Structure formats: structure tokens, C-alpha cells
Amino acid sequence: MTDEPDREGPVAGPGWLVSGLEDDIRPHMFAAADRGEPFALATIVAADGGPRPVGAQMAVTETQAWGFLSGGCIEDDVALNARETIADGTARRLIYGEGSPFVDIRLPCGGRIEVAIERVEAGDVALAELKRFTRERRPAVWASDGTKRSCQPVDDAPADAPIRKHYDPVQRLVVIGSDPFALAIGGMGRTVGWEVRLLSPFGPSDHAPFDLACDRRALDEALDDIDLNRWTAVAVATHDLDLDERALIPALQSDAGYVGVLGSRRKLAERMERLAAAGLSQAQIDRLRAPIGLAIPARSPWEVAVSVVAEVIASRGD
């Protein structure tokens, strides 16, 4: 007999590595600092094989851990060593796999993983700088030798630091609309850990689902308050050409990393003509992803949401 799937949310027993679903551990680093609590930061500094890249991290406190480095093979041991680092303040460098002294810990994928662990105090200057860069949505690099560390703009950070982690701003997703497609796109963005804003000037007045932050102001006013930079994606799902246009024009004129619109292919030519008539250049119009999402046979709101989130991720490499 198989277990029925849990339909109420990501609730699981302690044996499941649910904490590993969080790839960006900055919120937990900042939360520990806000509590005045030191923590250990474990970073992959070298890897030959394995599912996680150099720079992948875990944050460990005396009672909890977040992030993952190997998909479950080494996390418990890393957490154990991290808590020893919290206790004695000694930086550690661990090797797993080929050449490792831990013969009882095997990597099923083969290869070799090297992990550096450092203790970070709640009042650490580099941590405060990382928090500032994150709040200002600016990329930064964490550079450390295990005892001394800095957090600087990318161009100013040392390239030869033993521990080095590049942090980009958190992906922001601006969804415009209020129907099930807009809600699913917003909910999927939240699921993958993005910052999501729902702009719905004509939406219901009650609380939006999936804990979405909903802005009900006029689109012009709401969009004017958002920095549409390369780490911001705009997904328009209003099904109204006039409303779509009010959102698309400023989005396509901005530095937004992705702009897409939900709609039928039959109206695509008319949409492009209207954008050109509004004064947009051909280069700006060519940035539009329409119809929105990867070209897969998506039909339901959740399937469309998967295609949109996947296209946003793919667009980062454009």
C-alpha cells in the first residue's frame, strides 16, 4: 500500500530533506543575525561531479539547518561539523568522496566535494553588507578565508578568496491580472522562491491566495513604484488588449529581464501593431514573449504557470 500524497502543503517527516528545497539561504542567515545568534556557513569550494555547483551553501545554527550540498549524502555530517565550528570558532575544510578520510560516507554519484565551514557572528560587517546589497537588489560577492570575510560589489571582490559566493538579487516576478492563470503564475513563482507581486486593479478586495502581495492601485501608479531591472520578470495575464497595453508599454521600455503576455496567436499581429503605434521601437517589441511561456502543450492554469516560470529561467541565459 502506498501513502496518499499530502495535499495540504510541504509538510513531511524529519527524514525528508525539505530544508534542501531552499536554495537561497540568505533569509535564514539574516534571521539568525537578527536574533543575535551566530551561525555556521558551509560552502562548496571545489567539486568534481555531484548535483550541486561550487558556491552552493548551507546555513547551520545550533538547532536547525537550511540548504543542501549533495542531495542528502553529506548534509548530516556537514551540520555536525558546522555545529562544532559554532562551538569552537575553528574554520574547517571537509573532503567527501575521492581522497576523503570519511570512509563511511559515500557519494553515490562518485567524484569529490570539498566544503569550507566558517563561523559567522551576528554582528559581522560582511553579513551586514550582504543584507544591504540584498535589500538594494544589487549583485555582490562574499569572499572569505574562513576567519576574515568581506562582501563587495562584483567588480571589487577578490577573485582568489578560498571561499567565494556570488549573490544575485532575488528573482522578482510581477504578475498582472486576477484570473486563475495569473494566480497560478504567481503561486508557482512563490513556490520556486521568487519575490512575487500581483498587480490587480480590478481584482477582488479580499486577501489574495498563496499569500501573494496584491497591489490594487492603477497600473501606471503600481508599475512606477517597481524597479523593472534585469532581475524582474513581468507576466501580463489580463485578457484585455487595452489593459495589456498599459502594462506592456512601460515594461518593454524598461530594463526588465523578461516580459510576456498571455493571449491567443490570432490577436498577436494586432497587439504588435498597437505597440508600434504607441511609439515602441521594433527592438523593444521584439523583446515580448507572446504567447507567454515555453511552447509546450500547456492547458490548465498550473501547466501554463510551469511554462511561464520555465521560460523566465531560460531567459536568464539570453
Side-chain angles (χ1 to χ4, degrees), residues 232-236 247-248 251-252 254 256-261 287-290 292:
T232 300
V234 179
V236 181
L248 290 175
L252 291 171
S254 74
Y258 172 96
V259 182
V261 62
R287 295 181 57 221
L288 180 61
R289 312 286 182 130
I292 200 170

Side-chain angles (χ1 to χ4, degrees), residues 119-207:
R119 175 185 164 116
V120 181
E121 301 293 338
D124 191 283
V125 174
L127 184 62
E129 284 295 280
L130 177 60
K131 191 173 186 178
R132 180 175 67 87
F133 282 120
T134 301
R135 183 177 61 253
E136 295 174 356
R137 295 183 59 77
R138 297 169 57 195
V141 171
W142 176 281
S144 172
D145 63 4
T147 57
K148 297 179 181 179
R149 57 195 62 84
S150 66
C151 185
Q152 303 177 56
V154 176
D155 292 340
D156 298 334
D160 58 350
I163 303 171
R164 198 172 189 273
K165 168 69 174 178
H166 181 117
Y167 291 98
D168 277 332
V170 176
Q171 176 70 57
R172 175 185 288 154
L173 175 63
V174 178
V175 183
I176 301 168
S178 60
D179 75 354
F181 288 99
L183 295 179
I185 293 169
M188 187 64 66
R190 287 273 297 173
T191 297
V192 298
W194 296 350
E195 175 193 320
V196 180
R197 297 190 188 183
L198 181 67
L199 308 188
S200 185
F202 303 111
S205 59
D206 53 345
H207 189 71

Side-chain angles (χ1 to χ4, degrees), residues 61-108:
T61 66
E62 291 182 349
T63 58
Q64 293 181 281
W66 301 271
F68 76 111
L69 305 180
S70 71
C73 306
I74 66 174
E75 279 71 15
D76 287 346
D77 189 71
V78 170
L80 178 65
N81 280 275
R83 291 184 178 115
E84 292 179 358
T85 293
I86 294 174
D88 63 21
T90 302
R92 287 166 167 78
R93 191 179 183 102
L94 309 176
I95 299 174
Y96 298 96
E98 185 178 350
S100 171
F102 308 121
V103 295
D104 56 334
I105 301 177
R106 298 183 180 277
L107 301 180

Side-chain angles (χ1 to χ4, degrees), residues 212-227:
L212 294 173
C214 184
D215 191 333
R216 295 177 178 82
R217 293 178 297 169
L219 279 182
D220 295 347
E221 186 179 357
L223 284 169
D224 193 51
D225 280 348
I226 301 174
D227 180 13

